[in-house]
Structures are given as C-alpha cells and as structure tokens.
Amino acid sequence: METLLYGLAMVIARVHSFILSLNNQFEYYFSDKELHFIVMGLLGLAMVFVLHPVFKWLASRGNVMVITFFYVFTFIIVIAFAIEIGQRMTGTGSMESADIAWGIMGFLCIFAVFAVIRAIFTAIRNAVRRRRR
C-alpha cells in the first residue's frame, strides 16, 4: 500500500512539475494558488462531465445534478488534500491549507458558471417544447 501511495504521489508530482513548466514556458506566471484554482476547477468540471451520465443512468429520475455535484465536490476535497500531502512528501511544493481552499474554490466557481449556462439551455429547451405543444 505504501508503494502504491508513493507511486501516486510521484505521478502527481510529475504532473505538478509539468504544469509549472508550461506556466513558465508560456510566461503566464500564475501563482501556485492560481494554478490550483484553474487545475482543480477544470478537473472538477471534467469529473462532472464523466460522472453525471453515470449517476443519471443509476438514478433515472429526479435531480441528478445535485448528486453529481456532491460526489465531485467530495472527491475534489480529497484530491486537494492528496496533492498537498504529495507535495510535502516529494518536496515539490509547500503544503498550505490556502492551496486546498483555492483549489476547492476553483471548482465551485467554474461549476457555478457551468450551472448558469446549463440552466439557460434548459430554460430555452423547455420554452421550445412548451411552444410546440
């Protein structure tokens, strides 16, 4: 188990280093917190796109997006902590609770934008359906 956890921490450390090299290569100069915000937000939204159909299939009725949001939110918290612990173990960054908060906030903000866009499309679709009747 320890070997598996260390291996996962090393994968996360490599991904972290790759993202930092992209940040430097393209001269964006995002801070560590800004990178956590962007990466965790996009990772969370990608998980929503993957998990939503699964939960929809399992539930087959009701408001499934709420189930998906809570599952992904919980998973984002776990990943945020795992990244910080991995940074501490591998020495690839400093372990800060602010990084965790920024990562979670990134997901919440990007999900809120997605929810608004989804609500607009749903309202338009419902209006068109009502008009056809």
Side-chain angles (χ1 to χ4, degrees):
M1 186 66 161
E2 183 178 326
T3 305
L4 174 68
L5 291 174
Y6 189 75
L8 289 173
M10 291 308 296
V11 169
I12 290 171
R14 286 189 193 116
V15 170
H16 185 263
S17 295
F18 175 73
I19 292 170
L20 287 176
S21 71
L22 287 177
N23 186 40
N24 294 336
Q25 179 181 352
F26 293 108
E27 298 179 357
Y28 288 126
Y29 303 113
F30 289 120
S31 70
D32 194 41
K33 284 154 190 55
E34 291 168 333
L35 286 171
H36 278 264
F37 181 92
I38 294 166
V39 170
M40 295 300 286
L42 293 175
L43 177 63
L45 191 59
M47 290 170 54
V48 167
F49 286 134
V50 170
L51 293 173
H52 180 68
V54 172
F55 279 114
K56 191 170 183 179
W57 176 75
L58 290 172
S60 74
R61 63 182 172 86
N63 195 351
V64 181
M65 186 55 78
V66 174
I67 298 167
T68 306
F69 170 78
F70 282 117
Y71 181 84
V72 172
F73 182 72
T74 303
F75 203 67
I76 284 295
I77 292 171
V78 171
I79 290 173
F81 275 96
I83 289 170
E84 291 305 309
I85 292 167
Q87 285 180 351
R88 172 72 180 238
M89 286 174 49
T90 60
T92 58
S94 59
M95 188 172 167
E96 296 179 68
S97 60
D99 289 345
I100 295 169
W102 276 86
I104 293 168
M105 197 55 131
F107 168 66
L108 291 175
C109 290
I110 292 174
F111 183 86
V113 170
F114 164 73
V116 168
I117 293 169
R118 183 175 184 265
I120 291 168
F121 279 109
T122 302
I124 292 169
R125 185 185 69 212
N126 291 342
V128 168
R129 285 182 181 169
R130 273 186 256 125
R131 193 164 196 207
R132 287 184 184 169
R133 290 182 195 180

